[in-house]
Amino acid sequence: MARANSRQRLGPLILGRATARPRGRLQWYAYLSILPALCFVALFAVYPVAFSVRLATHRYVLTDPHNHPFEGLRNVAEVLGSYYFRRAGLTTLTFTASVVASVLAFGVTVSHYLNRPGRLAGFLRVAILLPWAIPVVMAGIIWKWIFNGNYGVLNALLVSLGLIPSYVSWFGNPILAPLTLVIAHVWKWGPLAAIMCLATLQAVPRDLYESAHIDGGSGWAAFRYITLPFLRPTLLILLILETVGGFVTFDLVYVMTGGGPGDATSLLSWFAYAEIFRFLDLGKGAALAFIIAAVTLGLSLVYVRLLRLEALYS
Amino acid sequence: MMRRVVTVAAMLVFAATAIPMQPVARAGAGSTQLTFTVWTFAVDTIKENINRFQTRVPNVTVNLTDYNWGQYNDTIVANFVGGSTVPDILYSSDHWLQQWAAAGWIAPLDDYFPQARELAKSFAPYAVEGMTYKGKLYGFPYYADPMAFMYNAAVLRQAGFGAPPQTWAEVLEQAKAIKAKGLVQYPIGFGFSLDEPFSIETVISMVYSEGGNLFDKDLNPAFDRAGSAMVKTIEWVREALRAGVMNPESLQWDGVQAGNAMKGGTQVFFITRASGLWELNNPQFSKQAGNFQLAFMPGATHETVGFVRFYAMSSNVPRRGKEALDAAWQFLNYFGGPGPDNNYPVVRRWALDFGLGFAQLPLFKDKDIRASFGRWVNVERLESIGQKHAKVKQGLTPWFAQWDVFARAELQKAYLGQQTAQQTVKNLASKWNELRRR
């Protein structure tokens, strides 16, 4: 009886063949409801990607604007086979490995100290976030001035402390220039890592540390066997974010080094930009963008598989 | 309550009607709008020029946009490719002309203004060559200059040298002596930044000065031959850096930064556009004003690059119709030509107020300009360099701009010793041929 009543109440939603027409109407209504969102996604995601596929598989050189023959995967093959891709790829891998390691180390170390009680703890937790709140381009400009070879504050400081005999051309040196990018990147993104780690650390029960202390465990042992296991899921998330972030870094390069000196800081994203806007080869630029996207997607998938939070916690 | 609602509604209605009225009121009835894009140099003066133009030609309104010089070509390319902010009139350079014209972004002036070809007869030939693509004229000169070698004569005297260097070996010799006497740590500094379009003009000038050529008559690379002037130039820069007489920041500097080092007295030798001497010898800008002299480019032939920067008209203007074309002609004639009163109002002002070189030949006889230039440069030497030694850049093709960008990075690697000069010219030739085939 109750079942019959509920059927009556739900009406066309659960009745069979007899209610086919109203259900069709409802389906239309459902489709209409999501149509604006679909249009939005199509306009801002599907169309650009589809257009990029067209660019990558055709010859699109802007100095020859009316000639776009289909070239299949030739653009991809030419990009992959070029010396400059290999060079930019190696530079990108080195840069990404450096920033991932540095940001994680920064996050763990700083959060460890911020987690301690103290009068300045509240202030420091806010202050540490300031670099993260500054736009990347602004951060790049700040560091460009700090590292300036003629009037940079870092040179002045190091000379006044007697650590270097004369001003150093940070951006003119193919070994130091990539280092400046890593430092600026860590300054910009390290605080987020620190705050994420701090949030995790604050959830660690104090009793665990007290027990470790009572059992005679050292500070390092507490860190190794209590802090680090709790931090692992956060660190894995940061690993994904930083790997992808490092791989697609462009703005700092654009502002600070312009890919130089020579091609010492020419990352893959800069290489793609140069192919499009400097060499005016949209086809190769788009092909390169797909290669970068495929690599970052592949890396993300690997990391996501590792991210089995329950397993990690257990 | 009701009164408050009415008041707020009235304010909103007023705001809604007043805001869109503003630009119309400023533009004036029947005014043709022109958008004008420039690189960032003396923007206040450009605005004043625009105001004067609008007073003289009241039926045209000009809206100005400026972009950083180092990123200018990239930004303009992005604008043209994106299509949303294409200007009507814009600064261009012989560097980029063929690239822009081949892409159809800018329009040939003589297709729309038959009188332009006649007017071009009054421009210096190398400037006309630099503004011509496939026999069509694409611009009126904004300024034109030879690249020139300049030096701080006071420091040279202190070091015991009575005359500027005549060869590149002498430049190194004098620089080493100046450094050894502790007068200046880095006597040489050039603008070799990856963003600096003058970078390639500096290198080509050094190649020309040794009688070298970049290409043969069929545009095949000639610089990649063993012992070429280009190889010698690269090796010279490498040696200057290695010996610590060239500022290592040169690889990050544009011309302005290298010029600042000259003005501050921390540098002695510099290559830039000849009119750069106006600022170096101007006490308003330079601690060392009066000490700087223009020299012939060191080397066997003293030849150098003569270049032109010019006003181009985008293809957007013809699409907009006759009214826009009429406005564009009035603008071009006023800014790059003799103007309605036949007195070259803008070119003359750039020359008098900023010392900018010009390609408009009648102005070489202008007494005011000669007197004004005489205050900061040896006018006869400047004329001699411009007329006897300046040559247009070889290899101006639709792919020159891309090759130039590639060359800047490859040359830096050679300067840093990451690859040999021979490997560098081989890479440059290979890229040239690749771009040519494309």
Side-chain angles (χ1 to χ4, degrees):
Chain A
M1 184 65 186
R3 196 176 225 180
N5 280 344
S6 81
R7 276 194 171 190
Q8 277 173 354
R9 246 186 290 128
L10 293 172
L13 278 176
I14 56 168
L15 290 179
R17 206 176 292 160
T19 56
R21 280 177 84 106
R23 188 162 75 177
R25 222 179 285 144
L26 270 173
Q27 277 178 346
W28 271 111
Y29 176 74
Y31 285 128
L32 274 174
S33 302
I34 60 166
L35 188 62
L38 274 178
C39 289
F40 203 74
V41 171
L43 186 66
F44 292 104
V46 179
Y47 174 73
V49 171
F51 190 69
S52 300
V53 171
R54 183 181 161 74
L55 287 177
T57 52
H58 288 72
R59 182 182 185 278
Y60 262 92
V61 179
L62 288 179
T63 46
D64 186 12
H66 307 298
N67 182 20
H68 305 306
F70 177 73
E71 296 201 315
L73 293 176
R74 189 176 159 183
N75 284 327
V76 176
E78 281 187 5
V79 165
L80 287 175
S82 78
Y83 156 80
Y84 298 96
F85 174 78
R86 290 196 297 277
R87 172 99 178 120
L90 190 64
T91 310
T92 307
L93 281 177
T94 313
F95 173 78
T96 305
S98 308
V99 296
V100 167
S102 308
V103 166
L104 294 192
F106 180 92
V108 172
T109 312
V110 172
S111 64
H112 185 69
Y113 286 104
L114 286 180
N115 197 34
R116 293 175 175 182
R119 275 197 300 179
L120 285 175
F123 167 75
L124 287 176
R125 282 171 200 167
V126 176
I128 191 93
L129 269 177
L130 279 178
W132 180 66
I134 290 174
V136 184
V137 171
M138 290 289 291
I141 292 170
I142 290 169
W143 282 99
K144 189 173 182 174
W145 278 106
I146 290 173
F147 284 116
N148 187 295
N150 287 307
Y151 359 86
V153 68
L154 183 65
N155 270 328
L157 187 69
L158 294 177
V159 167
S160 66
L161 291 174
L163 295 173
I164 52 173
S166 61
Y167 279 27
V168 172
S169 176
W170 298 94
F171 297 125
N173 183 308
I175 295 165
L176 296 177
L179 188 66
T180 65
L181 283 184
V182 172
I183 291 171
H185 185 98
V186 173
W187 182 82
K188 168 73 187 141
W189 297 110
L192 179 67
I195 290 299
M196 284 174 72
C197 291
L198 179 64
T200 308
L201 289 184
Q202 289 185 333
V204 180
R206 290 272 144 206
D207 329 358
L208 293 177
Y209 290 110
E210 283 161 17
S211 305
H213 183 67
I214 291 164
D215 291 345
S218 65
W220 168 247
F223 177 77
R224 170 78 181 79
Y225 296 107
I226 301 172
T227 308
L228 216 48
F230 270 91
L231 277 178
R232 275 184 68 183
T234 309
L235 291 180
L236 263 176
I237 290 169
L238 285 170
L239 189 69
I240 294 172
L241 286 176
E242 282 309 314
T243 306
V244 175
F247 227 85
V248 298
T249 292
F250 169 77
D251 17 29
L252 282 179
V253 179
Y254 184 84
V255 175
M256 288 175 66
T257 63
D263 52 15
T265 57
S266 181
L267 306 182
L268 281 173
S269 52
W270 175 262
F271 186 34
Y273 164 82
E275 281 293 342
I276 294 173
F277 289 103
R278 299 195 152 177
F279 299 115
L280 306 181
D281 195 332
L282 270 62
K284 277 190 191 165
L288 193 47
F290 276 111
I291 294 167
I292 296 170
V295 172
T296 46
L297 186 67
L299 280 172
S300 303
L301 287 176
V302 169
Y303 287 151
V304 167
R305 276 189 73 83
L306 291 172
L307 248 179
R308 292 187 180 140
L309 294 181
E310 295 85 354
L312 287 164
Y313 273 115
S314 67
Chain B
M1 176 67 184
M2 186 63 180
R3 189 184 293 170
R4 196 180 299 163
V5 170
V6 170
T7 310
V8 171
M11 284 168 68
L12 285 174
V13 168
F14 174 76
T17 50
I19 290 166
M21 272 170 65
Q22 272 186 334
V24 179
R26 209 181 298 144
S31 172
T32 305
Q33 302 274 336
L34 281 181
T35 50
F36 177 35
T37 295
V38 300
W39 51 76
T40 310
F41 173 76
V43 173
D44 287 342
T45 305
I46 299 172
K47 284 179 183 165
E48 276 177 35
N49 289 337
I50 289 171
N51 286 337
R52 291 178 189 185
F53 167 71
Q54 289 177 156
T55 308
R56 187 67 182 80
V57 186
N59 61 330
V60 180
T61 305
V62 179
N63 297 304
L64 180 72
T65 305
D66 67 297
Y67 298 123
N68 180 281
W69 163 244
Q71 280 81 42
Y72 187 75
N73 190 41
D74 294 1
T75 313
I76 293 296
V77 168
N79 284 354
F80 277 120
V81 174
S84 57
T85 47
V86 173
D88 294 316
I89 307 287
L90 66 164
Y91 280 1
S92 184
S93 165
D94 46 14
H95 260 64
W96 310 314
L97 163 71
Q98 306 225 2
Q99 174 192 354
W100 295 7
W105 297 334
I106 54 176
L109 299 187
D110 31 14
D111 273 8
Y112 302 97
F113 314 122
Q115 64 275 39
R117 182 50 69 179
E118 189 57 32
L119 192 57
K121 289 178 184 166
S122 65
F123 301 153
Y126 78 86
V128 174
E129 200 179 334
M131 298 187 297
T132 301
Y133 174 64
K134 289 191 174 173
K136 303 266 186 189
L137 182 74
Y138 277 79
F140 278 6
Y142 152 45
Y143 84 98
D145 244 347
M147 294 296 285
F149 184 84
M150 40 197 82
Y151 63 98
N152 186 325
V155 178
L156 238 60
R157 273 195 302 275
Q158 276 178 277
F161 296 104
Q166 296 296 307
T167 64
W168 290 106
E170 279 182 31
V171 178
L172 275 186
E173 186 190 314
Q174 293 192 359
K176 285 175 184 173
I178 290 165
K179 188 180 175 84
K181 288 190 176 177
L183 296 171
V184 172
Q185 189 185 4
Y186 297 117
I188 306 168
F190 295 159
F192 279 151
S193 139
L194 292 175
D195 282 342
E196 175 55 281
F198 276 117
S199 161
I200 197 73
E201 281 162 345
T202 302
V203 173
I204 299 175
S205 294
M206 293 171 77
V207 171
Y208 282 179
S209 72
E210 290 287 18
N213 283 303
L214 289 185
F215 304 96
D216 64 18
K217 61 180 172 44
D218 298 319
L219 286 176
N220 297 308
F223 55 76
D224 58 338
R225 294 167 194 161
S228 72
M230 178 71 117
V231 170
K232 284 181 189 163
T233 297
I234 293 170
E235 285 169 349
W236 184 90
V237 176
R238 173 87 194 104
E239 171 58 17
L241 282 165
R242 198 199 53 74
V245 291
M246 178 180 275
N247 195 322
E249 280 294 284
S250 290
L251 303 192
Q252 299 305 311
W253 275 350
D254 57 22
V256 174
Q257 288 161 313
N260 286 340
M262 290 287 278
K263 287 187 268 184
T266 56
Q267 188 176 303
V268 184
F269 301 116
F270 183 33
I271 295 177
T272 189
R273 58 191 170 86
S275 55
L277 205 59
W278 173 83
E279 202 170 308
L280 296 186
N281 275 333
N282 188 331
Q284 201 182 334
F285 304 109
S286 171
K287 279 203 282 186
Q288 297 280 324
N291 289 335
F292 297 107
Q293 297 285 335
L294 190 67
F296 290 112
M297 195 65 72
T301 65
H302 305 308
E303 284 184 331
T304 186
V305 164
F307 66 86
V308 61
R309 315 285 189 232
F310 58 90
Y311 301 96
M313 178 177 79
S314 81
S315 302
N316 196 36
V317 175
R319 280 196 291 271
R320 286 178 55 197
K322 188 179 177 309
E323 220 175 71
L325 277 168
D326 287 345
W329 169 253
Q330 293 189 78
F331 181 95
L332 291 167
N333 187 36
Y334 189 92
F335 277 72
D341 303 320
N342 204 33
N343 59 356
Y344 295 92
V346 175
V347 185
R348 199 167 178 278
R349 185 168 186 212
W350 283 123
L352 289 173
D353 293 359
F354 289 88
L356 288 192
F358 44 83
Q360 290 78 354
L361 297 175
L363 288 179
F364 279 103
K365 292 174 188 151
D366 187 303
K367 281 180 188 164
D368 292 341
I369 289 179
R370 290 188 78 86
S372 167
F373 274 42
R375 284 196 280 275
W376 53 267
V377 70
N378 178 331
V379 181
E380 284 71 33
R381 183 165 293 169
L382 178 64
E383 270 186 312
S384 172
I385 293 172
Q387 290 172 15
K388 291 182 190 162
H389 300 293
K391 293 199 314 188
V392 74
K393 290 189 284 284
Q394 291 174 340
L396 290 177
T397 53
W399 60 89
F400 181 84
Q402 289 105 71
W403 181 77
D404 164 27
V405 168
F406 177 83
R408 292 179 212 165
E410 285 299 305
L411 290 170
Q412 280 202 354
K413 285 196 276 181
Y415 301 155
L416 289 165
Q418 292 181 294
Q419 61 190 22
T420 63
Q422 200 56 50
Q423 182 61 46
T424 303
V425 291
K426 195 177 149 207
N427 292 349
L428 293 181
S430 166
K431 189 69 177 182
W432 177 267
N433 292 327
E434 177 201 322
L435 290 167
R436 189 180 191 178
R437 278 194 305 272
R438 195 168 71 170

